[in-house]
């Protein structure tokens, strides 16, 4: 079968053996797969990913000595079942699934080799127990947004977003835009969003941001504080030890760039008592001033992936129309165009999510 293979930092369209489902697994046909920013990072910064995972868990996230088939944001169709399966999902059903094979040695799909390819391939193997059928009323392209929106849902959960919270989203790339979509669905606001790119700022407006800021012209942090001002004591954030009671609603920030220095900007600009979710991936070193965060009693909470419950909840929200995220999809390509799509996503701020259709 055809697949896009990553080797030595380069993408190529190759023929690879069709994967074979093991016990408790199914063979599926990939219908659509999104290109994620982390896919681009793996292609360019694979050794940096491994340094981070080695430091955290003592293992390499990527086996850079073998070809890798990327792709973890997929919708697929069930083709056949392997041994020891329940077969409760009929052949021909469209499904999504967390990108994990629940084997004795767990496999992270989209980060593994050609024997267990990700969604940049015509077919792949999934764990039966993780399959979630796509409701009939939900189109395939929108269902392909389940995974990236689940990442955003996780970041909201990490800062307990809700109630009177006033959010700031720094960085309006795919992660930031997904966060804005979830914030809007939750009815939180006013939503303040900041990005250097006028195209990204326009995306943020379309997806629900109420106040959109060009950081070169206006401080996002002043806009955030201004949006949170209230004279109603019942709506104010709890007091902190040093700052005391401020005339502000609770404030939550989302660092969605991964750019060095931005987290410290958030620490410096955030109102006292803010909760900050760090969703952007910085694979290098960074410098922060902990004393500022301590004096302000800030919460810094880092976010990655999602729980099975958050993944399923995201699909339900899409199916029931609670999330309107179709504006995230800005392009489509077949397998032969994936390398060009990577370049396009690197150079064009007018693109957010490009979907791969392996049948083309």
């Amino acid at each position: 079968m055809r697949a896009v293979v990553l080797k030595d930092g380069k993408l190529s369209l190759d023929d690879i053996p069709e994967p074979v489902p093991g016990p408790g697994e199914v063979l599926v046909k990939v219908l659509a797969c999104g290109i994620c920013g982390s896919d681009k990072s793996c292609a360019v910064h694979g050794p940096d990913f491994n340094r981070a995972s080695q430091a955290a868990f003592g293992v390499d996230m990527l086996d850079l000595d073998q070809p890798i088939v990327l792709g973890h944001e997929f919708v697929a169709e069930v083709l056949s079942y392997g041994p020891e399966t329940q077969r409760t999902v009929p052949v021909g059903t469209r499904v999504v699934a967390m990108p994990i094979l629940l084997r004795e040695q767990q496999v992270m799909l989209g980060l593994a080799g050609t024997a267990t390819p990700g969604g940049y391939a015509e077919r792949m193997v999934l764990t039966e127990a993780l399959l979630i059928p796509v409701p009939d009323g939900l189109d395939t392209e929108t269902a392909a947004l389940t995974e990236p929106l689940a990442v955003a849902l996780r970041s909201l959960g990490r800062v307990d977003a809700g109630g009177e919270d006033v959010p700031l989203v720094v960085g309006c790339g795919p992660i930031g835009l997904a966060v804005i979509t979830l914030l809007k669905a939750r009815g939180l606001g006013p939503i303040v969003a900041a990005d250097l790119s006028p195209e990204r700022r326009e995306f943020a407006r379309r997806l629900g941001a109420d106040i959109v800021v060009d950081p070169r012209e206006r401080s996002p942090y002043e806009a955030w504080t201004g949006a949170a001002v209230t004279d109603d004591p019942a709506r104010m954030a709890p007091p902190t030890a040093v700052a005391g009671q401020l005339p502000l609603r609770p404030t939550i920030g989302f660092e969605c760039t991964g750019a060095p220095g931005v987290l410290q900007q958030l620490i410096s600009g955030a109102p006292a008592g803010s909760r900050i979710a760090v969703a952007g991936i910085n694979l290098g070193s960074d410098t922060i001033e902990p004393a500022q965060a301590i004096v302000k009693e800030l919460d810094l909470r880092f976010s990655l992936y999602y729980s099975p419950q958050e993944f399923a909840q995201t699909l339900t929200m899409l199916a029931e129309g609670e999330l309107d995220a179709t504006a995230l999809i800005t392009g489509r390509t077949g397998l032969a165009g994936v390398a060009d799509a990577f370049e396009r996503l690197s150079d064009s701020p007018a693109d957010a999510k490009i979907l791969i259709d392996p049948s083309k």
Side-chain angles (χ1 to χ4, degrees):
M1 68 174 188
R2 298 184 310 151
V4 176
V5 174
L6 172 66
K7 180 65 176 175
D8 298 326
K10 297 181 180 180
L11 295 168
S12 62
L13 181 59
D14 293 337
D15 288 323
I16 66 171
E18 182 169 295
V20 178
E25 296 174 353
V26 298
L27 179 70
V28 299
K29 177 174 72 174
V30 180
L31 301 177
C33 182
I35 297 176
C36 179
S38 65
D39 294 340
K40 295 191 297 173
S41 295
C42 286
V44 179
H45 304 292
D48 296 318
F49 267 105
N50 282 348
R51 277 193 289 273
S53 61
Q54 275 286 348
F57 303 113
V59 297
D60 285 340
M61 183 176 291
L62 301 160
D63 184 353
L64 297 175
D65 294 328
Q66 66 170 335
I68 294 170
V69 181
L70 300 168
H72 56 273
E73 303 178 358
F74 50 79
V75 179
E77 177 186 325
V78 175
L79 294 179
S80 62
Y81 282 85
E84 301 176 29
T85 47
Q86 301 298 312
R87 309 190 181 206
T88 55
V89 177
V91 169
T93 301
R94 293 179 305 148
V95 295
V96 293
M98 292 178 64
I100 301 169
L101 287 182
L102 298 178
R103 297 180 174 180
E104 183 176 354
Q105 181 67 41
Q106 183 172 288
V107 177
M108 300 297 292
L109 294 169
L111 300 177
T114 55
T116 51
Y120 290 17
E122 292 181 308
R123 290 174 290 281
M124 59 191 303
V125 166
L126 300 177
T127 294
E128 181 187 33
L130 296 179
L131 298 182
I132 305 178
V134 175
D136 290 339
L138 184 62
D139 67 274
T140 295
E141 289 194 344
T142 302
L145 299 175
T146 300
E147 202 277 346
L149 288 169
V151 171
L153 183 63
R154 176 71 169 186
S155 68
L156 267 66
R158 291 289 292 146
V159 291
D160 304 316
E164 289 290 325
D165 292 334
V166 177
L168 168 66
V169 179
V170 180
C172 298
I175 295 175
L177 294 173
V179 169
I180 291 168
T181 302
L182 266 296
L183 290 168
K184 187 70 173 179
R186 289 279 183 88
L188 300 183
I191 301 168
V192 183
D195 199 285
L196 295 171
S197 161
E199 293 90 349
R200 299 290 192 194
R201 294 196 299 273
E202 180 56 31
F203 267 126
R205 287 189 186 94
R206 289 168 59 191
L207 288 165
D210 301 290
I211 302 168
V212 180
V213 178
D214 181 346
R216 292 166 297 199
E217 298 179 356
R218 182 186 181 192
S219 166
Y221 310 103
E222 291 179 3
W224 185 24
T225 302
V229 169
T230 181
D231 59 4
D232 182 352
R235 304 182 74 189
M236 293 177 185
T240 60
V242 175
Q245 181 67 69
L246 299 175
L248 302 176
R249 292 163 56 189
T251 43
I252 52 175
F254 297 87
E255 200 295 279
C256 299
T257 71
V262 174
L263 180 55
Q264 177 54 38
Q265 291 175 18
L266 265 162
I267 290 171
S268 296
S274 295
R275 287 123 48 211
I276 298 171
V278 183
I281 299 177
N282 176 3
L283 291 171
S285 298
D286 206 350
T287 301
I288 65 170
E289 297 182 30
Q292 291 187 29
I294 292 169
V295 170
K296 291 183 175 183
E297 294 189 323
L298 302 180
D299 285 342
L300 305 182
R301 304 181 186 180
F302 295 81
S303 179
L304 184 68
Y305 277 105
Y306 35 75
S307 68
Q309 294 78 14
E310 288 163 336
F311 188 87
Q313 180 183 353
T314 303
L315 179 65
T316 298
M317 293 175 74
L318 285 168
E320 295 182 354
E322 296 177 33
L323 291 176
D324 183 6
T326 54
L328 286 171
I329 302 170
T330 57
R332 299 154 183 85
T333 185
L335 291 172
V338 170
D340 289 340
F342 267 54
E343 293 299 320
R344 179 172 152 187
L345 287 167
S346 298
D347 299 334
S348 171
D351 275 304
K353 183 65 63 178
I354 295 178
L355 298 183
I356 302 166
D357 180 348
S359 69
K360 294 183 178 178

